[in-house]
Amino acid sequence: MTVQETITDCWNRIGVRGDHSCELLQQHIHCRNCGVYAHAAQLNLQRAVGDDYQRSWAEHFSQPAGGDVLHDSSGMVFRIGDEWLALPTSMFVLVAPQALPHRLPHRNARGLAGVVNVGGKLYPCIALADLLGIAAVQTTPRTGRHTFARLLLVQWEQQSYALPVSDLHGIVRYASATVQAPAATINKGLQRFLTGVISHDGMMIGCLDAGLLGHQFARSLR
């Protein structure tokens, strides 16, 4: 007699999947709490394994390793105007609500918007739109999702900076081998700060050069 013939699948007839006429339902509430159901599960796990089943899995595990690309990099993806951009996740310290920067007198370095209060501390605020030479205002309205303007607190060489962004997508993992060269149509101001472009969920995301951008951050404070 096979294991399948000894299993009593009463849950399909008089249990929760049947007509609920089982006398034990009042005690157990659900068939999964009943000893009959548990016993059936044990019998199912102890069933004999057929030759076809073993052969199928043997063939599966004997195949060469798949060609899946290793996702060895990750970046925090955000939007400035119409441009989706990313910086390495290792730079990020905190995501904070949007706040207006206070301008600093006699300081007009490119990209330096002033200082901003984050958690009771003042941080230099860098306007990436000015630094990268891109429009800060979105020209193509987005539909189907909410946008969340944020302040991204990043750190470069022990100095923290606040970056206002128009929208925050979140962390994206990607394979460095899949990074493409920036399109020739990208404006030169932005292009010089890019190490490449990745595609994710229909977005073309520019990967910013952390070293070059960090140098510009520090330069704005001199």
Side-chain angles (χ1 to χ4, degrees):
M1 182 177 293
T2 64
V3 170
Q4 285 78 5
E5 292 172 331
T6 63
I7 291 179
T8 303
D9 63 339
C10 52
W11 55 89
N12 288 321
R13 293 181 287 101
I14 59 175
V16 292
R17 293 188 178 181
D19 60 10
H20 295 75
S21 62
C22 179
E23 297 177 353
L24 297 177
L25 270 181
Q26 186 175 1
Q27 174 186 352
H28 296 299
I29 308 301
H30 197 286
C31 293
R32 62 171 172 258
N33 301 319
C34 177
V36 175
Y37 189 89
H39 181 64
Q42 288 182 340
L43 291 177
N44 187 47
L45 291 174
Q46 294 169 2
R47 71 190 187 280
V49 178
D51 292 338
D52 290 343
Y53 180 87
Q54 295 185 54
R55 189 181 305 109
S56 173
W57 281 105
E59 291 175 356
H60 171 78
F61 287 112
S62 65
Q63 297 298 318
D68 294 340
V69 180
L70 177 64
H71 288 187
D72 56 357
S73 301
S74 66
M76 180 72 83
V77 177
F78 53 88
R79 180 172 56 80
I80 304 291
D82 290 326
E83 302 288 346
W84 284 105
L85 304 167
L87 277 168
T89 53
S90 58
M91 290 184 66
F92 287 83
V93 177
L94 183 70
V95 176
Q98 191 179 33
L100 290 175
H102 300 277
R103 290 195 172 277
L104 295 171
H106 314 299
R107 300 297 294 269
N108 58 358
R110 182 182 177 186
L112 182 62
V115 293
V116 67
N117 187 322
V118 179
K121 295 183 179 180
L122 294 178
Y123 296 94
C125 182
I126 305 295
L128 284 178
D130 294 341
L131 197 60
L132 303 176
I134 58 180
V137 179
Q138 186 178 21
T139 59
T140 306
R142 293 186 60 81
T143 58
R145 69 183 299 271
H146 296 290
T147 58
F148 299 94
R150 292 287 187 268
L151 273 179
L152 305 181
L153 199 64
V154 301
Q155 190 172 55
W156 180 258
E157 294 184 346
Q158 284 73 55
Q159 173 63 54
S160 296
Y161 304 87
L163 311 178
V165 300
S166 307
D167 197 1
L168 179 62
H169 179 77
I171 295 175
V172 169
R173 293 186 59 81
Y174 62 94
S176 56
T178 63
V179 177
Q180 307 168 26
T185 54
I186 295 178
N187 76 70
K188 300 301 180 183
L190 173 59
Q191 192 177 62
R192 69 180 285 251
F193 286 99
L194 295 180
T195 59
V197 176
I198 59 175
S199 176
H200 176 77
D201 285 351
M203 300 182 295
M204 296 303 294
I205 303 166
C207 298
L208 294 168
D209 186 322
L212 182 56
L213 207 55
H215 173 74
Q216 292 299 319
F217 291 168
R219 187 176 180 181
S220 68
L221 300 183
R222 294 172 186 168

